[in-house]
Amino acid sequence: MLKKLSYIILFGLTLTSCSDTLDDINKNPNATETPLAPYLLTGTLKQGADLYWGSDNNFNSSLLFVQHWAKIQYTEPDRYDVSNTSFTSLWNTGYATLITDLNTIINFPDAQANSNYKGIALTLRSWTFLLLTDAYGSIPYKEAGLKVTPAYNTQKEVYTGLLEDLKQAQSLLSTSNGTVTGDLVYKGDIAKWKRYVNSLRLRIALRISDKEPALAKQAAIDATSDAAGVLSSNADTFKFTYISSPQQNPASAWFETRDDFRISKTMVDKLKEFSDPRLPVYAQLPSDASVGTYVGGANGLSNSDANNQGFAKTSKPGTYFLTSTSPAVIYSYSEVLFNLAEAAARGYISGDAETLYKNAITASFNQFGITDATAISNYLNQASVKYDASNYAKSIGTQKWIAFYGQGLDAFTEWRRLDYPVLTAGPATVLDGKIPSRFFYPGTEQSLNGNSYQAAIAVQGKDLLTTKLWFDAK
């Protein structure tokens, strides 16, 4: 009996030893057991830029909806012939990667992340939620990351909640609250982050302006009167600058192996109408030298009609956007000035709307390397470009649409909100002449979070591309 007991004890000790050994083997000696704030920050900035500028959410969807780009082959997305699997990456990466990692930083003890890290993380989380609600409408917000089947919040609840989150972010950010590394956008310059926070607050103020004008006015006042200010020059533009392959700009990577996009005829025609010097930046001349001028591709064509326009006879997007190091602009100084112009036009803040409008166009020119004062002055003095105080939405909406070239998600949102320029769906589109007003929810929401999904669409409206969102009041 004692011999048997000895064998049992020895066997148990052996199992324990093996278990400990396996635990050691399964540990990666090169990995930290606790994620570090700088690495999480770097990762979310890169992944956020890829999400914003990549194919699924930008040039294969929103850039087509606003007719910045067009498809010359594989035209289904340009005809809106898509499904609820077409818009999953913004949702999945937004929640599972960006918001999850940013919440990790926010919840770190102070010893792992000072309040500047937390303020930056809260700012970037607010930006992510903003992208999500602008695209889908009602979304999980308050319970996101807290429950397996989170409830959805209405778009109004999300926008107003983000305004409060950004106030908190502003209070966390201070030049005296410690250094930040891993910041590939502002290089740890907290003053610039504070200006970016206020600029996001101003953006959201205008999002809600047609539905909640009193709250929008106060939010605009709060954002612009804060001592930190808003983005104040092109040097403040919030952008992620890529490096060489494989960490290159997503559009650059796409065009290395694919040739299915052209600049839209709608954009080319508008730039020609205005004699806009940004045209050579936005487009390349066709490879057939005999064409000799910029030619956009029409949106919403069948595959055969799109092909028949001629690959060599139509213009690709400009090389400015297609190099490995092309920047992913996420919030430009030009946009801030357009937003200030609109806030002034609405009577929310003091300032001359026309001057701010002209300065916004000038900032866009400068952003794309056009600095000739005479060329800019001649452009601004055209009757077709001059500010129309009786229809500020048309003036600002049209020029903002041009300046947003390449930033599909925000161009799509502002086109829906301001309703300019007037766009027409292509001849082979499948929505009865309508252009999409939102993204489909991912199909997995119906199967994995069905009760919350059904409650959301019962309030917002059917899960269709043509269902208008709360902010899209007109």
Side-chain angles (χ1 to χ4, degrees):
M1 181 69 184
L2 287 172
K3 186 176 181 181
K4 186 176 181 181
L5 184 60
S6 297
Y7 279 131
I8 292 172
I9 293 170
L10 179 61
F11 182 67
L13 289 171
T14 302
L15 283 179
T16 303
S17 176
C18 288
S19 176
D20 290 343
T21 302
L22 288 172
D23 285 345
D24 290 338
I25 291 171
N26 286 325
K27 288 180 181 178
N28 181 353
N30 299 315
T32 177
E33 300 241 340
T34 304
L36 301 177
Y39 296 138
L40 289 175
L41 176 57
T42 297
T44 54
L45 288 170
K46 168 64 165 58
Q47 291 163 328
D50 288 348
L51 193 68
Y52 186 79
W53 273 81
S55 60
D56 290 352
N57 308 305
N58 197 32
F59 43 89
N60 219 18
S61 57
S62 54
L63 281 184
L64 302 176
F65 299 167
V66 294
Q67 299 180 15
H68 280 185
W69 288 16
K71 295 280 281 187
I72 197 166
Q73 58 178 336
Y74 316 122
T75 64
E76 287 78 10
D78 208 2
R79 294 186 282 113
Y80 323 136
D81 185 7
V82 294
S83 71
N84 61 11
T85 63
S86 302
F87 305 108
T88 58
S89 71
L90 179 58
W91 188 279
N92 292 343
T93 304
Y95 281 110
T97 302
L98 298 184
I99 290 170
T100 297
D101 287 352
L102 293 166
N103 278 339
T104 298
I105 297 175
I106 291 167
N107 294 324
F108 271 151
D110 292 344
Q112 284 182 254
N114 62 46
S115 64
N116 281 330
Y117 277 112
K118 295 179 181 183
I120 289 171
L122 186 53
T123 302
L124 292 173
R125 193 185 74 176
S126 299
W127 171 71
T128 306
F129 276 127
L130 183 58
L131 293 182
L132 288 162
T133 191
D134 285 346
Y136 300 101
S138 298
I139 57 168
Y141 166 59
K142 291 182 180 178
E143 294 183 358
L146 301 177
K147 294 186 177 181
V148 176
T149 55
Y152 286 52
N153 291 98
T154 65
Q155 190 165 69
K156 176 183 176 180
E157 290 171 338
V158 177
Y159 285 143
T160 53
L162 293 180
L163 287 172
E164 292 304 312
D165 287 346
L166 289 167
K167 284 184 183 179
Q168 183 184 354
Q170 191 64 272
S171 70
L172 289 168
L173 293 165
S174 172
T175 54
S176 62
N177 285 350
T179 60
V180 168
T181 59
D183 173 11
L184 300 183
V185 173
Y186 284 145
K187 306 297 186 291
D189 189 332
I190 300 303
K192 288 187 176 182
W193 277 104
K194 291 176 74 67
R195 292 197 285 273
Y196 176 57
V197 169
N198 287 334
S199 300
L200 283 174
R201 296 166 73 186
L202 177 61
R203 180 190 276 179
I204 296 171
L206 295 177
R207 291 283 201 272
I208 68 176
S209 58
D210 288 331
K211 299 291 288 188
E212 295 287 338
L215 179 58
K217 180 177 182 178
Q218 188 58 54
I221 292 171
D222 291 345
T224 56
S225 62
D226 186 271
V230 293
L231 305 184
S232 58
S233 72
N234 276 319
D236 283 350
T237 287
F238 192 92
K239 63 183 179 181
F240 185 92
T241 301
Y242 290 93
I243 55 176
S244 59
S245 178
Q247 304 298 334
Q248 79 263 50
N249 180 289
S252 168
W254 185 279
F255 275 80
E256 284 180 0
T257 59
R258 300 281 295 266
D259 186 24
D260 45 342
F261 290 99
R262 294 294 183 268
I263 184 173
S264 171
K265 182 178 185 298
T266 307
M267 177 61 77
V268 170
D269 289 352
K270 183 61 69 175
L271 294 174
K272 286 184 174 181
E273 176 190 340
F274 291 165
S275 300
D276 197 310
R278 287 170 289 191
L279 179 54
V281 182
Y282 285 10
Q284 302 177 49
L285 286 168
S287 58
D288 183 342
S290 68
V291 178
T293 188
Y294 298 96
V295 179
N299 288 96
L301 299 183
S302 66
N303 277 305
S304 59
D305 286 345
N307 291 171
N308 288 339
Q309 295 174 106
F311 286 83
K313 295 184 181 297
T314 47
S315 295
K316 295 180 183 181
T319 56
Y320 177 94
F321 301 91
L322 305 181
T323 68
S324 293
T325 58
S326 294
V329 173
I330 291 170
Y331 202 142
S332 69
Y333 175 49
S334 173
E335 183 194 344
V336 169
L337 290 168
F338 279 123
N339 290 344
L340 291 171
E342 183 181 345
R346 288 178 177 270
Y348 291 174
I349 62 172
S350 61
D352 183 71
E354 181 175 4
T355 299
L356 289 164
Y357 166 81
K358 290 180 177 179
N359 291 345
I361 296 172
T362 301
S364 177
F365 277 35
N366 294 167
Q367 176 185 335
F368 294 111
I370 301 163
T371 57
D372 183 89
T374 301
I376 296 171
S377 177
N378 290 341
Y379 182 86
L380 294 173
N381 287 327
Q382 294 178 95
S384 55
V385 174
K386 283 186 176 179
Y387 179 73
D388 182 359
S390 67
N391 191 354
Y392 67 82
K394 181 178 181 181
S395 294
I396 294 173
T398 300
Q399 285 296 328
K400 203 174 199 181
W401 173 78
I402 295 172
F404 263 139
Y405 184 73
Q407 293 179 249
L409 286 169
D410 282 307
F412 180 43
T413 301
E414 288 298 85
W415 172 74
R416 286 175 287 162
R417 188 178 68 82
L418 292 167
D419 299 305
Y420 286 99
V422 175
L423 302 178
T424 303
T429 53
V430 299
L431 297 179
D432 296 323
K434 295 180 180 179
I435 294 173
S437 292
R438 60 183 292 273
F439 283 9
F440 285 129
Y441 289 119
T444 50
E445 280 299 286
Q446 298 180 47
S447 57
L448 301 179
N449 194 17
N451 290 338
S452 296
Y453 166 84
Q454 292 295 340
I457 62 174
V459 174
Q460 179 169 279
K462 293 181 179 179
D463 187 9
L464 302 173
L465 293 179
T466 52
T467 297
K468 287 202 167 192
L469 300 184
W470 175 81
F471 79 88
D472 187 7
K474 295 179 183 178

